[in-house]
Amino acid sequence: DFQNLTVALEKVNELVNLVNQSSREAANLQKILSIDASLNGAQHVKLMIPGRRYIRDGLLTKISGPRVQERHFFLFNDLLIYARPTLVKTKKERSYDFKGLIPLNLLMFRDLPDTDSLR
């Protein structure tokens, strides 16, 4: 009986893992669809492509000379999109004016030491 129970437990664990993975993939697709719907002026950008995963998004401050601007960034496993938050909320969710995108395969990262002016 113990051996049969062990085999049954392994099969249940495999099924649970499969269901959890499917749930994560569905949540990822839903998030990408939500971002796609919130971007104004990004009709030429195809967010729903096989293999693309949403990672994180958030607000960053762009400093351009004396000007300070808020930009919202959306990070995917292969792409970084930046947009300007709209001033008026027309829907339940926030909307954004698309500003640009950067394919991550074009980026090069370097670790720079902190300075007194930049931390």
Side-chain angles (χ1 to χ4, degrees):
D1 281 345
F2 180 76
Q3 187 175 4
N4 289 340
L5 289 174
T6 302
V7 170
L9 178 61
E10 287 174 5
K11 289 185 179 187
V12 167
N13 283 334
E14 287 175 13
L15 183 59
V16 166
N17 289 335
L18 182 62
V19 168
N20 286 339
Q21 179 65 26
S22 295
S23 177
R24 283 189 296 272
E25 288 173 4
N28 180 64
L29 291 175
Q30 185 59 42
K31 182 66 176 179
I32 293 173
L33 283 171
S34 173
I35 292 168
D36 192 37
S38 72
L39 288 172
N40 304 317
Q43 292 79 9
H44 63 285
V45 178
K46 188 174 180 182
L47 287 184
M48 293 297 294
I49 64 168
R52 178 163 290 153
R53 291 184 331 275
Y54 163 79
I55 299 189
R56 181 175 292 247
D57 69 277
L59 197 61
L60 296 173
T61 302
K62 175 185 172 186
I63 301 172
S64 182
R67 294 179 33 184
V68 176
Q69 302 170 333
E70 287 188 344
R71 293 288 184 257
H72 200 98
F73 285 78
F74 301 92
L75 178 62
F76 300 90
N77 63 316
D78 64 338
L79 184 67
L80 180 65
I81 291 179
Y82 53 101
R84 181 177 55 85
T86 58
L87 298 176
V88 180
K89 290 183 183 180
T90 57
K91 303 178 247 178
K92 268 187 165 180
E93 293 188 25
R94 189 89 200 230
S95 64
Y96 306 90
D97 291 331
F98 174 81
K99 289 296 187 182
L101 62 85
I102 303 168
L104 295 185
N105 64 345
L106 298 180
L107 295 180
M108 182 178 73
F109 295 94
R110 289 188 316 181
D111 189 14
L112 298 175
D114 288 342
T115 64
D116 289 336
S117 63
L118 297 173
R119 288 201 182 266

